[in-house]
Amino acid sequence: MAYAVTRNELKSGDTIYYINTVSRIPGEKTKRKTVMVEKYSANELRELGEQDPQAYVNRRADELREMSRNVVRTMNYQVDFTIRLSLSGEGDLQVSDDCRNLGFAAYSRLYHRLELDEFVNNRRRYLDCGFNINVIFQHLLYSRCLWPASKKNTWEHKDRFFGDTGYGLQDVYRSMDRLLQWRTDLLKHLDAKVKEKFGRRDTVVFYDVTNYYFERDEADDEDGLRAKGPCKEHRPEPIIQMGLFMDELSIPIAYELFRGNTNDCETLPQAMDNSIIDFSDSRKIVVADKGMMSYYNIMKIRDARNGYVISQSIRKSDSQTKEFALSCEGWERTLDDNGNVVSMIKERTIPKRASAYGDMDDSRHSGIYNERQVFIWSRKYSDRAKRERQAVVEKALQSEGKRSKEFKDSSYGKSKYLRKSPVKAGELVQADWCLYEFDAARLEEDEKYDGYYLICTNVIGVEDESGINPDKPSGHAYYRDSDGFLVLNHVVPASEIADIYGGLWKIEETFKVTKTGMLSLRPVFHSRQDRIRAHFLICFISLVLERLLELQLGWQYSAKSIQESLSSFNALQLANSNIYQVAYYDVIVDTILKTLDIDISRKFLQQSDIRRIIGQTKKKDYEG
């Protein structure tokens, strides 16, 4: 039963308002029963002091709706006690037809606030297809966030969602093909709406690369994505490389896919060229780890008149850089309560010569560019490096004095700290075997750099506050062609550069969400290249929805805990009725519903209540 307001204009000039109850007639699909509850005259309401009779009647209807929700109602229904529990082939309880999920309402709120429904509907109306791509797209996203599984499994369990589920498995795959065709426009739309609705700031852009493996032994041909390469999990199967751009809010911006044997360093320039991010018209600061530290990448960023903040290994640096890092002079120290040094920071600006092979030929090209270098030492990182090395050193000591027929040196694992004799002046001496000797000198050399790391950048600020342009925002930046520095409109100390680089850990945590976390993006089971690309597109947008939900919650809950709570937030339909009983509720669900202003607060809900709640999540005027 629902309340509706109608009106009747009289010839006298008065307006009569009616508040009616509308209820469904059992056995009839289209007929409804209407009963008048209250009647008001506009003239009489004005005489009583109501300036806006229509607004008064609407408020009164809302009051009646709220009162009806709080009325205690009882009903009789029958239960078939002969129905037994059944198991699926995988040993899990089946999702029965009378059990529905309510947790997807949180993602529905975000989906519609981002106006993804309008994006899809504006395009599907020109397609000649007998299925609703918008519905299928939502189910693919919500299922990936709640119960990550194959597309077939998602289709088989589509009935756990309320609403339209009348589509076939082939419709799912056809929808994936269409979505892939819209990929660029879809990512641009998503980026624009995140900026508009959630205040995305993309001056600082984080970039990193990871890979995902496939459950197959053979790689694709040269035109395919799957190839055997250095897998992050050290698995032998073919992999795909994915480069990810992320903003300061920890919300993904864009992604690019690369063949599995592509070097991490080579992905950055390709990702910049193919990304929806405009690196040429607006000033950006690209933040990346030492795997992206190459002369070509730096020149790529500088040629676009942008900034970079990229780390570099001190151990692999030149002798002058090492000497400057280990020098006791120039450090700004931070002390703990006991007066012990917790961290140190210092910087220098130097002209730097570097070289790389060019794009047009195989010749080596070199050049000089100015660079700001920030040196940091951290006691926490120093202690961690010693702990991580301790196990390797212990294994090396256990092997000291043992014989081996393997004369080849190694820089990895325990062999890193083992010398192999007989060796003379770096040359192997003829022998039947070699003897392991612990290399204390190499250990001492490595320990010198524990806790030190170097951040290279061309980002600077104004020299003092007098140089700040009051007409420009603090984040405004301009590129200084005379020396190649990107100048921000505020003072930028070395500590701020360290803080900018420190945000890179968030992208690593995002990768964990896609792998071992809640999205379970790997392993990938698709074989066709277009379906693989469509799979990553769906997973990426699911990732954006998940991170936006975490942002709305103030990052107080992990992605995995959110998934566990929302996937368990189900309602069970009572036998022979349209009443659903909420079967699970916890503090995370309660926080999400209150944060997103979703009204699911009662243990028993009618089907009409659930339709109303789902309809509310589709409103565009919600601001969070």
Side-chain angles (χ1 to χ4, degrees), residues 17 45-46 49-57 59:
Y17 295 95
L45 289 175
R46 291 190 182 96
E50 294 292 340
Q51 300 297 323
D52 189 344
Q54 178 73 57
Y56 173 83
V57 175
R59 289 196 305 271

Side-chain angles (χ1 to χ4, degrees), residues 537-551:
L537 174 62
I538 292 169
C539 291
F540 174 80
I541 298 176
S542 302
L543 176 64
V544 173
L545 292 180
E546 173 55 38
R547 301 308 262 177
L548 285 175
L549 180 54
E550 290 185 83
L551 175 66

Side-chain angles (χ1 to χ4, degrees), residues 4-185:
V5 176
T6 60
R7 55 187 290 174
N8 184 23
E9 302 287 345
L10 303 181
K11 292 183 179 180
S12 62
D14 194 7
T15 300
I16 304 300
Y17 295 95
Y18 303 94
I19 300 179
N20 306 312
T21 60
V22 182
S23 57
R24 183 173 61 87
I25 300 176
E28 298 288 343
K29 292 185 177 180
T30 58
K31 294 183 179 180
R32 297 290 184 269
K33 180 181 179 181
T34 302
V35 177
M36 186 188 72
V37 178
E38 294 182 0
K39 174 182 175 181
Y40 296 94
S41 164
N43 291 338
E44 292 177 357
L45 289 175
R46 291 190 182 96
E47 292 176 359
L48 294 173
E50 294 292 340
Q51 300 297 323
D52 189 344
Q54 178 73 57
Y56 173 83
V57 175
N58 290 339
R59 289 196 305 271
R60 178 57 184 163
D62 289 337
E63 291 175 359
L64 292 174
R65 294 187 186 103
E66 186 63 29
M67 290 170 60
S68 67
R69 297 189 193 110
N70 296 326
V71 172
V72 178
R73 286 172 287 177
T74 61
M75 64 172 294
N76 296 321
Y77 60 91
Q78 295 178 345
V79 177
D80 185 354
F81 288 101
T82 65
I83 298 177
R84 306 184 67 85
L85 291 174
S86 59
L87 295 175
S88 67
E90 299 177 354
D92 296 326
L93 281 172
Q94 283 186 326
V95 179
S96 60
D97 293 337
D98 54 1
C99 186
R100 300 287 189 272
N101 179 261
L102 296 172
F104 81 93
Y107 296 110
S108 175
R109 171 73 85 189
L110 297 172
Y111 180 90
H112 290 89
R113 188 180 178 194
L114 293 169
E115 300 178 16
L116 289 171
D117 58 323
E118 292 186 7
F119 175 91
V120 175
N121 287 331
N122 288 338
R123 286 159 178 77
R124 78 177 182 89
R125 69 180 60 178
Y126 301 105
L127 302 176
D128 184 17
C129 58
F131 52 90
N132 191 328
I133 300 179
N134 183 42
V135 171
I136 296 175
F137 186 32
Q138 290 182 67
H139 288 179
L140 290 173
L141 295 176
Y142 303 158
S143 293
R144 177 59 52 178
C145 290
L146 296 171
W147 316 278
S150 66
K151 305 301 179 293
K152 182 175 181 294
N153 183 278
T154 297
W155 172 76
E156 289 174 342
H157 294 113
K158 64 183 183 299
D159 288 333
R160 54 192 157 194
F161 294 114
F162 287 93
D164 180 15
T165 57
Y167 56 87
L169 180 58
Q170 288 303 315
D171 298 333
V172 174
Y173 293 121
R174 294 189 185 102
S175 297
M176 292 175 63
D177 297 338
R178 291 294 184 180
L179 292 168
L180 182 60
Q181 294 175 0
W182 303 332
R183 175 187 179 276
T184 300
D185 291 339

Side-chain angles (χ1 to χ4, degrees), residues 278-283 304 306:
D278 186 2
F279 285 99
S280 60
D281 192 42
S282 59
R283 308 283 73 82
N306 288 314

Side-chain angles (χ1 to χ4, degrees), residues 584-599:
Y584 180 87
Y585 199 76
D586 65 13
V587 65
I588 297 180
V589 172
D590 184 68
T591 303
I592 292 173
L593 296 181
K594 290 178 179 177
T595 301
L596 299 183
D597 192 21
I598 300 174
D599 180 21

